């Protein structure tokens, strides 16, 4: 569900992936910064565990989830 709402935030009807984890696995490694909590506003932050979770950064270390 988190992927669906993130897709909506960017004007898409869905994220295009079944889970946040699958989305993370499909991102090219050059765009991944695992363990980096400094995510620019508008960037996606992924979290592990089960199907995973994705949030949108609003800058300053804060996220919309």
């Amino acid at each position: 569900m988190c992927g669906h709402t993130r897709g909506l935030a960017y004007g898409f009807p869905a994220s295009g992936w079944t889970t946040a984890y699958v989305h993370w696995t499909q991102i090219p490694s050059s765009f991944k910064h695992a363990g980096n909590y400094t995510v620019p506003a508008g960037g996606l932050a992924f979290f592990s565990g089960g199907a995973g979770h994705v949030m949108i950064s609003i800058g300053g270390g804060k996220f919309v989830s």
Side-chain angles (χ1 to χ4, degrees), residues 13 18 22 26 28 32 42 46 48 50-51:
T18 55
V22 171
Q26 300 299 308
K32 292 181 182 180
F46 291 83
S48 62

Side-chain angles (χ1 to χ4, degrees), residues 1-24 44-46 51-56 64-65:
M1 196 60 154
C2 61
H4 172 70
T5 57
R6 299 316 148 239
L8 293 174
Y10 286 99
F12 297 100
S15 71
W17 290 273
T18 55
T19 67
Y21 174 77
V22 171
H23 187 168
W24 170 257
L44 298 177
F46 291 83
H53 185 62
V54 60
M55 301 187 303
I56 298 175
V64 175
S65 177

Side-chain angles (χ1 to χ4, degrees), residues 23-46:
H23 187 168
W24 170 257
T25 65
Q26 300 299 308
I27 297 172
S29 60
S30 61
F31 293 112
K32 292 181 182 180
H33 305 285
N36 184 348
Y37 292 94
T38 308
V39 182
L44 298 177
F46 291 83

